[in-house]
Amino acid sequence: VQLQASGGGLVQAGGSLRLSCAGTEHSFSRYTMAWFRQAPGKEREFVASISWGNGRTVYADSVKGRFTVSRDNTQKKLYLQMDSLKPEDTADYYCAAQSAGSITSPNYGYWGQGTQVTVSS
């Protein structure tokens, strides 16, 4: 699965951004998809995921209520709507795909390149 993330940028605190991730695999709909992020000097951390079967979503506590993950299997796209952004959301954001495994662990088999999000105070 090849993935390409886009949509990052510079935004003021309280603003919104929408990240997109385009997949190329014809079986895109059979993968659990997720967003992770990595701030400078920190480890990569789980942000949100959406399962392939029932579309169940899981969020990190730090983004719950502010971020929304969704997918369009017909278009082979994954989205992350980020609202009420905070300076601590500043990081490189990565999309990832896997067919099985822990949802929140960064052991996904397929990764897109990062897209940078910077939130100014």
Side-chain angles (χ1 to χ4, degrees):
V1 179
Q2 290 186 323
L3 303 171
Q4 184 162 0
S6 62
L10 173 63
V11 63
Q12 288 189 331
S16 298
L17 278 176
R18 188 191 195 204
L19 304 184
S20 298
C21 176
T24 59
E25 177 64 36
H26 70 278
S27 59
F28 177 89
S29 63
R30 302 298 297 271
Y31 289 89
T32 289
M33 304 296 298
W35 290 97
F36 287 78
R37 66 187 181 186
Q38 188 166 16
K42 295 189 176 181
E43 293 186 350
R44 190 168 297 189
E45 65 173 0
F46 171 80
V47 175
S49 68
I50 183 165
S51 299
W52 69 269
N54 56 15
R56 175 176 172 260
T57 56
V58 178
Y59 295 94
D61 288 342
S62 59
V63 307
K64 204 171 291 183
R66 300 188 297 121
F67 290 11
T68 303
V69 61
S70 61
R71 65 191 297 167
D72 183 336
N73 290 330
T74 301
Q75 297 294 323
K76 299 184 183 67
K77 286 194 173 179
L78 172 73
Y79 301 101
L80 184 68
Q81 178 66 41
M82 305 186 295
D83 299 317
S84 302
L85 282 161
K86 304 176 181 179
E88 50 263 45
D89 294 319
T90 295
D92 289 331
Y93 283 71
Y94 298 85
C95 55
Q98 67 172 2
S99 55
S102 168
I103 288 175
T104 60
S105 174
N107 293 326
Y108 281 57
Y110 306 97
W111 292 87
Q113 88 293 355
T115 185
Q116 189 174 49
V117 172
T118 303
V119 184
S120 62
S121 57

